[in-house]
Amino acid sequence: MRLDDVAFRYHRRGPWVLRDVTLSLSPGSVTEVTGRNGAGKSTLLRLIAGLRAPGQGSVRDRPSRIGYAPERFPVDQPFTVRSYLGHMAAVRRAPKDTIGTWAERLSFDHLLDVRLPELSKGSAQKVGLAQALMDDPGLLILDEPFAGLDAATRDTLPGLIAGLASGGTTVVISDHQRCIESLPGIDRLQVANGTVTRLAPGEEPDAPRLTVLEVVVPEADADTVETKLRADGYTVRRPDQ
Ligand SMILES: Nc1ncnc2c1ncn2[C@@H]1O[C@H](COP(=O)(O)OP(=O)(O)OP(=O)(O)O)[C@@H](O)[C@H]1O
């Protein structure tokens, strides 16, 4: 698929969030989208997914079956995981047993009868991923899919993504936590200053100046704080106990 001279703003007369975006995404490619907070990564992903229409320019040849997992899965829905995913499978005419398959692959099969608002952040993230992955999408868009995931699922997901890509799925991922960047042959796009540039292999995104901040927390809160900081894209080092 292609984006040609795409520009986008959320409000008429508002500031352009993205301009002059021209890029192509080929079947079977995996593209990592990088950029600072607020640069426009989620906006670019929504444009690619077709959830937002460009203000200028065009998007062409988008695959018809699209899987999209937003940065935050909307849990304020009065369904159990099973009925929500069952509904999504029916809408997409996916086989019903796909729910069990993905629940097992992403290790949330024990939560199928729990209501969405009662899920932890990481479990909700897995349900969001399952609905995006279940229909063998031609275009798969994942917005910060690793945020809040447990280590086992974090390790599983790159392989699942690579498997879909080798079957021809075009994959686009924003990933603060840089869990996907070691995937062989990955393409990288950087969103900065309102536009998108392709990074050459090995080229580092414009790196901000780094500093070290020591944070002291109650021992019992250390895991939670570490998970939160990692989810926000920070590097966390724990001193030896
Ligand atoms: N629904 C919206 N209405 C108006 N402005 C928005 C909306 N969503 C995002 N923006 C603005 O568009 C710009 C880009 O936001 P976007 O969420 O795409 O950035 P991002 O790179 O994904 O950020 P982050 O890394 O924090 O998730 C920001 O200035 C943001 O405030």
Side-chain angles (χ1 to χ4, degrees), residues 4-220:
D4 281 301
D5 287 325
V6 164
F8 178 82
R9 54 185 169 187
Y10 281 96
H11 305 289
R12 217 153 50 102
R13 296 174 202 279
W16 292 100
V17 176
L18 294 172
R19 295 189 88 144
D20 304 323
V21 180
T22 294
L23 59 95
S24 62
L25 301 163
S26 38
S29 60
V30 181
T31 303
E32 181 195 27
V33 177
T34 66
R36 294 185 191 181
N37 289 129
K41 300 180 297 296
S42 297
T43 305
L44 176 67
L45 265 49
R46 289 181 203 125
L47 284 163
I48 293 172
L51 295 167
R52 294 280 184 171
Q56 293 175 6
S58 64
V59 180
R60 285 186 287 144
D61 303 329
R62 183 188 285 117
S64 55
R65 276 201 323 283
I66 302 167
Y68 170 76
E71 192 168 2
R72 276 178 221 89
F73 176 74
V75 286
D76 50 344
Q77 308 178 66
F79 310 115
T80 62
V81 173
R82 192 189 303 279
S83 63
Y84 168 77
L85 289 176
H87 177 70
M88 298 309 277
V91 168
R92 293 172 185 166
R93 303 201 176 130
K96 251 201 151 177
D97 61 1
T98 193
I99 299 168
T101 309
W102 282 105
E104 211 171 292
R105 281 189 193 164
L106 296 173
S107 314
F108 66 86
D109 38 342
H110 58 297
L111 297 174
L112 283 170
D113 294 313
V114 172
R115 290 188 177 276
L116 296 177
E118 288 158 25
L119 292 175
S120 69
K121 181 171 182 280
S123 300
Q125 191 76 350
K126 291 180 183 183
V127 176
L129 283 170
Q131 64 76 30
L133 292 160
M134 62 162 49
D135 186 27
D136 193 16
L139 174 63
L140 175 66
I141 295 154
L142 305 177
D143 198 346
E144 298 296 342
F146 295 96
L149 285 188
D150 51 57
T153 318
R154 255 199 332 256
D155 291 346
T156 308
L157 195 54
L160 290 175
I161 290 166
L164 282 165
S166 67
T169 302
T170 305
V171 186
V172 185
I173 304 177
S174 68
D175 173 25
H176 261 126
Q177 310 199 18
R178 310 189 80 172
C179 296
I180 200 75
E181 66 177 356
S182 56
L183 219 64
I186 194 163
D187 294 323
R188 291 193 301 154
L189 296 174
Q190 184 184 8
V191 185
N193 305 318
T195 197
V196 180
T197 47
R198 201 171 275 280
L199 294 171
E203 185 182 352
E204 274 305 301
D206 290 346
R209 279 160 50 90
L210 298 179
T211 187
V212 176
L213 176 72
E214 197 170 72
V215 181
V216 179
V217 298
E219 199 175 311

